Each structure stands twice: as structure tokens, then as C-alpha cells.
Amino acid sequence: MARRKKANHLAPPVQEAGPPSEATNNGTSYRMIEEGLATIQIPVTSEASTSKGSEEQSVFYNPIQQFNRDLSVLVINEFANSILPAKREKAEKARIKKAAKASHKRGRGNDEERESVAQEAPTAKRAKIEDAGTEDPQETGEQQSVPIRFTILDALSATGLRAIRYAKELSSVTSVTANDISAAATEAIQANVERNEVDRIVQVENGNAMAKMYATAYATGHAKYDVVELDPYGSAAPFFDAAVQALADGGLLCATCTDSAIFASVSYPEKTFALYGGVPVKGTFSHEAGLRIILHAIATSAARYGLAIEPLLSISVDYYARVFVRVWKSPAKVKFWAGGTMLVYSCDHGCGAWTTQPMLKNKENPSSRGPQTHKHGLAQGPTASENCEHCGFKTHLSGPMWAGPIHSSSFIQRILDRLPQMSSEIYGTKPRIQGVLTTALEEDLEYVNPDTPDVNNQQSEAQPEASPPAKPSTYASTDPAHIDKYPFFFIPSALSGVIHCYTPPENAFRGALKHLGFRVTRSHAKAGTIKTDAPWSVIWEVMRQWAKQKSPVKEESMREGTAAKRILSRAPLTRGEVYGAHQTVDRDETRQAGSEILEFNGEDNESIKRGGLTSPGMSHGEEGEDGVKHEGPASGEELTLGDDAPLEVVFDEQLGAVGAGRELRRTKGLVRYQANPRPNWGPMTRARA
């Protein structure tokens, strides 16, 4: 029997920065590190190894974070490209206004003299015009243009590697402040800055990071930063309050949290609540929930000062979380924050299902006298009982946490568009960056499948066929009222463990959900995951049918009182329970739509080409049309399905293997997840001052 070839989504070991060389100066040992365009030296204070196998350091450096640093350069570069045009326009308007005022003050002289000056020869004209205080339009330009400031604060700089890379690899940067509280670190930063010849751009400071940021926010003579970088050892939460205030309006906060044992584990829920203001989730999706808890902490700090946040990219990789969040001065957007905050009821001891509960409700308030407005009112609750509706086990409460999108899909797409132009020699983790960003982009079901309706939405009005939108000059800001309806993933192997059956192949499970008309993707946070807009009742129906058709469960595994017994004993779902009222589908449209999407993705599926029945609510041209031969009306006829028609579950691996949509049709062989490149892959030991 031929062995099935498994898709390889795991990256080969990352190629770290060039092998370090050692040198000695005044009795102190140093290691030289090359990364990106930077070359730094770090002092080595001891050759003794810690229990984790890493050397003690007086200045902290972790080669594992090269992916983090490479990605940060690319994100900040795209952010700069998006805001600099507006900054230039604003600066030019200010320059013109200032010049006009100066001209008006100096030009109160003799009007007749100025008229005669205008009629003289060009050389004399130019000199006399300048004396009269006016400008020659042909002489204005770069010489008189105001330089556009783009400043970065690396608040916890350690070796200064980030600051140096930002200065050397970002052409738009005018100033980088590298701050650290350690005197040894500050000395190392200064030496590294001089070695890389960026001392005109990088200013080195020795002080408390929070004091520095609060001084920037409130002390006179301090301009706020366009980017604030937080990369501490452990949690960045203590710095959020100061950081959001040190940012200019519309600035970017980049934060790393390496305390995944706190934000993504229930070992210390009281610590999580103290640091982040939320209770963590127990379950397979705990890291995804951890990202939302971190974003909630940032939003809480910002909202106190009338600041609203917009997550551009939020990822959970290796042992840490990394978030890139734009911060705006907008009291109006802050009003949406409570409605964009949720609690989570999770069945962590039973079947793993979850239900979300909004804290407030943002409701549209139609008005004929002005733009669309919203009302912010109380949300009805609870959305779940104390016992899980699927298995009967107790549910536990987590949160509050961020309920909106954790990425800006258009922002990620713009980074991916530029990525092929980036040098692999400078960005050594470029393949992994492409894989992680593509997977993060796929998480947005609406962006990847823009013409696909939400099967859960019972309003089935016909929509005109949409043409591909023109590429915008910058990324589109996220609507503050937008809520992520499907915030978490599940793992088929975990569901199989609940009912004690073999795990269905990933493509078979995906194909079954697509066959039923639901959108399917994956999460960047963990391999083997599935994100979908299918409700948990449908997910468990798919598992029941898998056990029935492919992997029968032994009787001894279905003991009374177990989740397996309660789930497998339920009656099969009907179409009416899933889709609501009677549904009508056309076989010709089904056949044509299924063929179009497969041709576009370069795939082939004979079952779809043969024609078949699609699930209700599917639109023309949508990915996920099933191709299973089905009894019914002849070509051109319509078929009406009753509420009590059984829900047909078909495990079509070919359909499940179809790409995620037109934006991602060329992602075969894409590396999505990182394999540990060496033993002791982790946060290493804290620097010893």
C-alpha cells in the first residue's frame, strides 16, 4: 500500500547570523556578531554554562530573535512608507504657510517698487525679489523643503543591535534613540554604534525606560516618537502605559512578550490578570488567546488617554508573542473599545468548544442627516450556559480580551508585495517571514475569500459580481466596529482524542467543511490547525460522521458521563438546523463555479468537473464548491431542500487541498512553521549586570 505523502509545512532550521568570532580587548572577551547590515560585539563575562546550556552574559543577546528583528525592519519600513507621504504634505503646507507669513511681514514696502522689480531682467529680478521678501517658484524645492522626521525609540536596547539595524537598513529614519538602564549595556551600545558609523543617527542614553518615555510625553522640549520598540526580557506589559503616551499621533508600538507561561498558560492566572488585565485560556488555542490578552492590555492603557489602537500584525512564534500596533488620538474610536472586548466561555475539560461574550454592543444607528453613526449599549448575556451544549461538561471563563482583528490584511499584503525585492543575504529569515506572513494573511476569511458569503448570515440577498479592486497607495485602516467572529482555531487531532477515534487527514476535514459551504483556513500559531466560520455544532457533526464512516469508536470508549458518549449519542444535524429556511441552488452555477475556482488555482478535481450539488448560500465563483455527484434535478433546474433534509458530510481531500483563494494561489511548498534549529531553543538566561 502506497504511503501518503504528507505536506511539509515545517521550516528547515533557520540560518542564524554568521558564526561569531571572538576577540580580547583589555582582558575582556568579546564576540563579534554579524546580522543584517550590522556588526556588533558583545562582552562575554563567563565561560560557565547555565543549566540551560547558554553562556552568562553581561549584555543580553539572543540569536534566536533574528526572525523577530528581520520582521521588525520590514514592518517599520512599510509603516514609514505609509505615513511619510502624509507627513511630507503636512510639512509642505506648514512651510508654505510660514513663508507666506514671512513674505507678508517683509512685503509691506512700496508696491510700486515691487511692480517695477517684476519687469526687470531675470538676474536683477531674482535679487530684488529676494530683497522684497518674496520667493521665486523655480528656486523653491529641495533646498527649502523641510526634512521629514521619522524617529524611533529602542527603549530596552541591550546590545543596540536593533537600533543599529534600523539606522542602517531604513532609509527614512532620521533619528534612533537607543536606551538601556544598564551601564555595561550602554557602553556596549556606544561602541557598536561607533563601529557601524551610525553615531549621527543613533543617540545612546543610559536610563530607566519608563522615565524616558514619560519624559517624552510630558516634559517640554521632547518630540514624541513615530515608533517605540519594546523588547524586554519577559513581559512588556509594565511599559505599555508609558509607551502609548510617548508615541506621536498615529505612531507604531512594537512589543515583544516572552512570558508565554503567563499570557498563554493557566499555571498563574492571577499573574496574568495582574499584568495584562485578563484571565488566560486553557486549551489548544491558548497562544492565540494570549495575543488577544496582550492587545487588550495595550488597548486598556491607550483608552485612558483617548487613544485608540489598530493592530497591524500580531504573531505567536517560538516562545514569544510579537505585536505591531498603531496608536491614534481618537476619543471617538475609543468608544468602540468595550464593544470590541470579549469574554470567552471555554469547555477546556470536555470537548474544547468555546463561545464568545461581548462586553458591550456597538449597534449601527442609521441617520438621514449625516454619516453612519453607532450606539454603544449593554450586551445581552450570557451567551453560553455553565455547561457545554455539546458535551455537558462545565465551561470556564477567560478574558477580557481583544475581540477585533489581530492583523491588518492589507498591511500584510503590502509587505508580501515588497518581500521579493528584499535581499536574502540581509534578511536571513526571509523564507520564514514569507511563510508566517502568508499564513497570517490567510487567517482573515473575508480578505482571502472576498466574494464568499458568510453561511451563518441568513440574509441571502444577491450581490453583484465584484471586480478586483485597484491597488491602494497605502493600507486600508480597520473599521473600529469590526469584530472577529471566528477568533480561534481548533486541531482535529484534539477532537479525535475527545471521542477516541483516528484523526482525519487535514485535507479531508477541510474538504468536509468546504463541501458544507463554510470557509476554511489555518492559523499561524500552530501547525495542523483549522480556522473556520462553521459553528461548533457543525464541527462536531463532521467528527460524528467521520467516526461513523471512517473510524468507528469502540463501545468501551463510550462510557457514561464522558464527552465521547454525549457527543456521539446526539442525533445527526439537519440542513434546517444549520442553514435555516428552505434553500435553493442551481446545478449549472454549481458546476461552473467549482470549475472556475479550481482552474484559477491551477488545481484539478474530476468530481467538480462532473458537476454536483453545492451547499446553500454559496455564491458564484466562490472557492469551496463541492463536486460530489448528487442525485437531483437535471442540468438547469433548481433544487429546493427542506429543513429536515439530512446534512450530507463528504470527506473530499481534493477539495480540501484547494488553495485559500485568488490572493494565495501560488503558495505551493510554502514554509509556514519553524522547526527548532538547535537544542535549548528558547529565551536564554537573563543578562547579569
Side-chain angles (χ1 to χ4, degrees):
M1 182 176 180
R3 182 178 298 176
R4 180 182 299 150
K5 186 178 181 180
K6 296 180 67 177
N8 180 22
H9 299 305
L10 292 179
V14 64
Q15 183 178 359
E16 298 179 6
S21 59
E22 295 192 4
T24 303
N25 186 10
N26 295 328
T28 303
S29 297
Y30 293 92
R31 285 199 293 181
M32 304 298 294
I33 306 293
E34 293 183 7
E35 183 180 299
L37 294 179
T39 301
I40 66 168
Q41 70 175 16
I42 58 172
V44 181
T45 58
S46 174
E47 295 298 328
S49 297
T50 66
S51 59
K52 292 186 178 182
S54 58
E55 292 181 350
E56 294 182 4
Q57 303 179 87
S58 61
V59 179
F60 185 78
Y61 166 74
N62 191 346
I64 299 166
Q65 292 268 14
Q66 183 183 355
F67 168 77
N68 187 330
R69 290 183 286 267
D70 285 353
L71 178 62
S72 299
V73 173
L74 298 179
V75 170
I76 295 174
N77 180 61
E78 185 54 48
F79 171 69
N81 291 333
S82 69
I83 70 168
L84 285 179
K87 294 188 75 167
R88 289 192 185 97
E89 182 180 358
K90 183 179 179 180
E92 183 63 17
K93 288 181 178 179
R95 186 191 65 80
I96 293 174
K97 185 176 180 180
K98 183 178 180 180
K101 285 185 178 180
S103 175
H104 179 72
K105 288 182 179 179
R106 292 193 299 265
R108 294 177 181 175
N110 192 331
D111 292 340
E112 294 180 359
E113 178 183 352
R114 296 170 65 176
E115 290 180 4
S116 63
V117 168
Q119 299 174 0
E120 294 182 8
T123 54
K125 167 189 169 185
R126 183 175 294 111
K128 291 184 180 181
I129 286 178
E130 291 175 354
D131 291 339
T134 60
E135 297 176 339
D136 185 344
Q138 296 180 354
E139 291 298 317
T140 59
E142 293 184 2
Q143 297 175 349
Q144 297 185 13
S145 63
V146 179
I148 307 303
R149 294 179 66 256
F150 187 83
T151 59
I152 301 176
L153 170 63
D154 186 6
L156 305 147
S157 197
T159 62
L161 178 56
R162 282 183 188 270
I164 294 169
R165 290 195 62 181
Y166 293 160
K168 299 192 74 170
E169 298 172 27
L170 298 172
S171 60
S172 56
V173 170
T174 57
S175 174
V176 181
T177 301
N179 177 81
D180 202 281
I181 197 171
S182 166
T186 306
E187 183 179 346
I189 295 169
Q190 186 63 52
N192 289 327
V193 167
E194 294 173 358
R195 177 174 292 100
N196 286 271
E197 300 179 346
V198 290
D199 46 304
R200 289 187 298 175
I201 298 177
V202 180
Q203 291 80 44
V204 182
E205 297 187 11
N206 176 214
N208 182 280
M210 285 187 280
K212 169 64 180 176
M213 290 186 284
Y214 281 127
T216 300
Y218 295 108
T220 57
H222 289 266
K224 294 188 176 184
Y225 293 96
D226 295 293
V227 178
V228 170
E229 170 69 58
L230 299 177
D231 185 23
Y233 189 96
S235 175
F239 304 95
F240 289 159
D241 186 85
V244 296
Q245 297 181 76
L247 279 169
D249 188 16
L252 180 68
L253 173 61
C254 312
T256 302
C257 294
T258 62
D259 58 330
S260 56
I262 303 300
F263 66 76
S265 167
V266 294
S267 299
Y268 310 98
E270 73 287 355
K271 181 69 171 178
T272 312
F273 191 83
L275 278 174
Y276 298 100
V279 176
V281 166
K282 181 180 181 181
T284 57
F285 59 96
S286 62
H287 285 78
E288 205 169 30
L291 286 173
R292 295 183 177 277
I293 288 176
I294 294 171
L295 292 174
H296 168 73
I298 298 174
T300 302
S301 297
R304 298 189 184 102
Y305 309 103
L307 302 172
I309 74 166
E310 178 189 5
L312 300 183
L313 177 64
S314 310
I315 58 173
S316 173
V317 293
D318 298 333
Y319 56 88
Y320 62 89
R322 179 69 168 167
V323 296
F324 300 90
V325 179
R326 199 165 183 187
V327 181
W328 303 86
K329 181 68 175 178
S330 179
K333 289 185 177 180
V334 172
K335 294 180 180 179
F336 291 88
W337 171 53
T341 303
M342 66 181 179
L343 299 173
V344 177
Y345 298 95
S346 60
C347 180
D348 45 40
H349 289 300
C351 66
W354 46 263
T355 305
T356 61
Q357 166 73 64
M359 300 292 287
L360 284 184
K361 187 175 182 180
N362 299 322
K363 186 177 181 181
E364 291 185 355
N365 183 29
S367 174
S368 59
R369 294 180 297 177
Q372 182 72 44
T373 59
H374 287 77
K375 282 187 175 180
H376 312 283
L378 301 178
Q380 185 177 357
T383 55
S385 65
E386 63 180 16
N387 293 102
C388 176
E389 63 174 304
H390 308 288
C391 68
F393 277 62
K394 290 183 178 179
T395 58
H396 291 98
L397 193 62
S398 301
M401 63 183 70
W402 179 260
I406 63 174
H407 312 299
S408 168
S409 299
S410 58
F411 183 83
I412 296 175
Q413 184 64 65
R414 292 183 66 84
I415 300 177
L416 287 170
D417 291 342
R418 295 181 192 272
L419 192 59
Q421 307 166 17
M422 301 300 175
S423 170
S424 298
E425 294 182 1
I426 298 175
Y427 305 102
T429 60
K430 179 179 173 180
R432 188 187 183 191
I433 290 174
Q434 182 183 15
V436 170
L437 290 184
T438 302
T439 309
L441 181 63
E442 288 180 348
E443 291 180 359
D444 188 344
L445 293 169
E446 296 176 4
Y447 185 84
V448 174
N449 302 283
D451 301 324
T452 306
D454 186 347
V455 176
N456 297 301
N457 186 352
Q458 299 301 324
Q459 298 177 357
S460 56
E461 298 179 3
Q463 299 292 334
E465 186 174 353
S467 58
K471 196 169 184 178
S473 59
T474 184
Y475 76 94
S477 294
T478 306
D479 182 359
H482 183 63
I483 301 300
D484 191 344
K485 298 178 182 178
Y486 321 106
F488 304 123
F489 62 77
F490 66 89
I491 301 178
S493 60
L495 306 187
S496 300
V498 173
I499 61 174
H500 308 291
C501 70
Y502 289 110
T503 302
E506 183 179 336
N507 285 337
F509 206 117
R510 291 164 61 93
L513 292 173
K514 287 182 178 182
H515 171 267
L516 294 172
F518 295 98
R519 297 172 291 185
V520 183
T521 183
R522 56 172 61 86
S523 170
H524 78 276
K526 189 175 292 187
T529 57
I530 291 180
K531 294 191 76 169
T532 178
D533 55 359
W536 272 99
S537 58
V538 170
I539 293 171
W540 277 118
E541 178 63 22
V542 171
M543 286 301 301
R544 276 192 291 269
Q545 291 300 319
W546 170 258
K548 180 179 179 181
Q549 299 177 29
K550 308 287 187 180
S551 179
V553 178
K554 298 179 180 179
E555 285 294 330
E556 54 265 29
S557 298
M558 297 176 57
R559 299 188 303 272
E560 288 295 332
T562 63
K565 176 69 173 181
R566 291 166 178 168
I567 290 171
L568 295 175
S569 298
R570 287 181 172 269
L573 287 180
T574 64
R575 300 186 72 90
E577 290 176 295
V578 177
Y579 306 113
H582 288 1
Q583 304 290 331
T584 303
V585 290
D586 184 271
R587 291 176 64 85
D588 280 347
E589 287 191 4
T590 296
R591 183 183 301 107
Q592 182 180 359
S595 299
E596 285 178 357
I597 189 65
L598 288 171
E599 289 172 5
F600 199 89
N601 283 276
E603 303 284 351
D604 184 29
N605 189 323
E606 291 300 328
S607 62
I608 289 185
K609 289 183 178 179
R610 288 195 301 268
L613 177 67
T614 186
S615 301
M618 305 285 277
S619 68
H620 179 78
E622 175 198 348
E623 178 194 281
E625 310 292 352
D626 85 290
V628 179
K629 196 169 183 178
H630 195 282
E631 298 295 331
S635 175
E637 296 184 13
E638 291 185 344
L639 174 65
T640 300
L641 301 174
D643 291 354
D644 55 353
L647 193 68
E648 183 181 18
V649 179
V650 178
F651 296 95
D652 190 337
E653 293 195 50
Q654 286 183 299
L655 181 60
V658 174
R662 66 168 180 265
E663 298 289 342
L664 306 171
R665 61 185 181 275
R666 291 185 294 271
T667 58
K668 276 191 173 182
L670 191 68
V671 174
R672 299 177 183 274
Y673 305 99
Q674 175 68 55
N676 292 349
R678 68 181 191 188
N680 306 311
W681 179 259
M684 301 180 64
T685 54
R686 185 189 294 268
R688 180 175 60 84

